[in-house]
Amino acid sequence: MSTTAARPAPVRTAERFARPLLLAFLVAAAADLAGLITGYDPAHLVAKPLLMPLLAGYAAVRGAPRLLVAALLFGWGGDVLLLLDSDPAFLLGMGSFAAGHLCYLLLSGRGRAPLPAAAGYVLVLSVFLVLIWPDLPGELRVPLAGYSLLLTAMAWRAGALGVRAAVGGGLFLLSDALIATGIAEWPSLPAPGFWVMLTYIAAQGLLTAGVLAAGAGRAAGGSAGARRSGAYRAGDTRT
């Protein structure tokens, strides 16, 4: 029996939406980045709130864990709140992103993440906070430091989900570091919003791909183990 035939009809029907949703996500991402690089703000205002719901929809029809869908929707909450451009909205948005990072941490489970990467992340975070601390607004220093610790932990633990998720975690850290340098009014690259969103979109996409691949790998391993166990029991029949 083929793999396709073995899946229930509702699952096959849902999976038909995966490619259109992924394509819509990529189109929205391109529109958002084009708006940022050209300075056409309406494109960014329309496209940015569409990104995470489309990616979450794609993940859902691919059979993603609920925690992954939740992480992406918390990301959507942060995206929308940061568009409001006020200090209370920024703090609420940071809280929404933090909830998403907690979801990613839970998804990493007890898998092993490389210890050298942990040491590297701790070093980078420590140096970055020491350098940027004097230039941050006083009321944002403690919240940003706490958020940075959580984000760094997520970036490291993402390595337990494979290479794609590990790169995604690192890019998420880079994206938020670019936001922090903007808050501190450090010199920035041209079109800074473009680089923030480019690294953020890539981060969420790679984290999603990593979680889906890790889930598929576990499912395949479980199926192979069940087949081996069944073959063993059939061969061990005694008369």
Side-chain angles (χ1 to χ4, degrees):
M1 182 181 292
S2 69
T3 304
T4 302
R7 291 198 297 266
V11 174
R12 297 199 301 272
T13 302
E15 287 181 347
R16 292 175 186 170
F17 292 100
R19 185 170 295 179
L21 284 166
L22 180 60
L23 180 60
F25 166 73
L26 294 174
V27 169
D32 185 48
L33 294 174
L36 288 168
I37 200 71
T38 60
Y40 185 62
D41 291 339
H44 177 59
L45 293 173
V46 171
K48 185 181 181 183
L50 298 175
L51 291 169
M52 292 305 107
L54 289 169
L55 188 56
Y58 166 75
V61 300
R62 287 285 311 276
R66 291 180 181 179
L67 279 172
L68 174 58
V69 176
L72 295 171
L73 292 179
F74 279 125
W76 170 72
D79 290 343
V80 172
L81 286 164
L82 263 57
L83 285 174
L84 300 179
D85 196 22
S86 69
D87 287 346
F90 178 81
L91 289 171
L92 288 172
M94 187 163 58
S96 190
F97 281 121
H101 299 329
L102 285 173
C103 292
Y104 283 126
L105 279 171
L106 291 171
L107 283 166
S108 68
R110 298 182 180 179
R112 292 185 178 181
L115 288 177
Y121 274 129
V122 169
L123 176 62
V124 169
L125 176 65
S126 301
V127 172
F128 183 72
L129 286 177
V130 167
L131 292 175
I132 204 170
W133 192 263
D135 298 324
L136 291 173
E139 66 275 12
L140 291 181
R141 287 176 178 171
V142 173
L144 278 172
Y147 174 83
S148 298
L149 286 170
L150 178 60
L151 172 57
T152 303
M154 183 280 288
W156 169 55
R157 289 295 304 156
L161 296 168
V163 174
R164 280 177 287 189
V167 175
L171 286 174
F172 214 133
L173 187 63
L174 174 59
S175 179
D176 282 5
L178 292 173
I179 294 175
T181 59
I183 294 171
E185 298 183 352
W186 283 10
S188 61
L189 296 168
F194 171 83
W195 301 106
V196 169
M197 286 305 297
L198 178 64
T199 48
Y200 170 69
I201 292 168
Q204 293 281 36
L206 286 168
L207 283 165
T208 299
V211 172
L212 290 173
R218 285 193 292 266
S223 297
R227 287 195 299 270
R228 286 195 298 270
S229 177
Y232 172 79
R233 286 194 299 270
D236 193 43
T237 301
R238 292 177 176 84
T239 58

